[in-house]
Amino acid sequence: MSDKHNMRFDYYTPSEIAVILGERLKTQRLVLNLTQATLAEKAGVGVSTVARIESGQGGTLDNVIRLAIALGMINHFAELFDIKPSSIEDIIAKQNPRLRASNKASE
């Protein structure tokens, strides 16, 4: 895990990704010179929640979002799950989005 800020997560497990994201949140907290207690208060969560997320032990998406907002990092979520077209068919499909999945198994 060399440069953890410019990496792809393709070959990492969920727990490894949680550790990396926790480290990133901790790094930003320290850049802002905040204690875990101060961040917890700003985010409206408990100190143990901050410690758990920073150590990669997980947390709810709501709490991760709260920490990101308190750390001024919420815009990092802007591209999360954003579907980028890879073909003209994808662009056309985006104009007429599916409202539900079919019962057919994909091939």
Side-chain angles (χ1 to χ4, degrees):
M1 292 188 239
S2 55
D3 184 12
K4 295 179 184 173
H5 293 284
N6 296 317
M7 64 182 350
R8 292 177 50 111
F9 288 138
D10 301 69
Y11 303 106
Y12 290 91
T13 65
S15 56
E16 289 171 329
I17 294 168
V19 168
I20 293 165
L21 295 179
E23 289 172 355
R24 290 179 183 178
L25 288 171
K26 180 178 181 179
T27 298
Q28 182 66 10
R29 175 178 61 79
L30 294 174
V31 164
L32 296 174
N33 197 29
L34 299 173
T35 64
Q36 285 184 337
T38 303
L39 176 58
E41 186 176 327
K42 281 183 71 167
V45 300
V47 176
S48 63
T49 297
V50 174
R52 194 171 53 253
I53 292 171
E54 285 187 353
S55 67
Q57 295 175 21
T60 66
L61 180 58
D62 183 70
N63 286 339
V64 171
I65 291 170
R66 288 172 182 270
L67 293 181
I69 291 169
L71 291 169
M73 300 176 78
I74 196 58
N75 286 325
H76 291 263
F77 282 83
E79 293 186 25
L80 186 65
F81 306 122
D82 187 22
I83 299 170
K84 296 184 178 24
S86 59
S87 69
I88 190 70
E89 289 83 13
D90 290 344
I91 294 170
I92 293 168
K94 196 169 189 174
Q95 291 176 355
N96 299 308
R98 293 182 66 133
L99 300 178
R100 58 186 143 176
S102 67
N103 289 330
K104 297 179 185 177
S106 58
E107 296 177 27

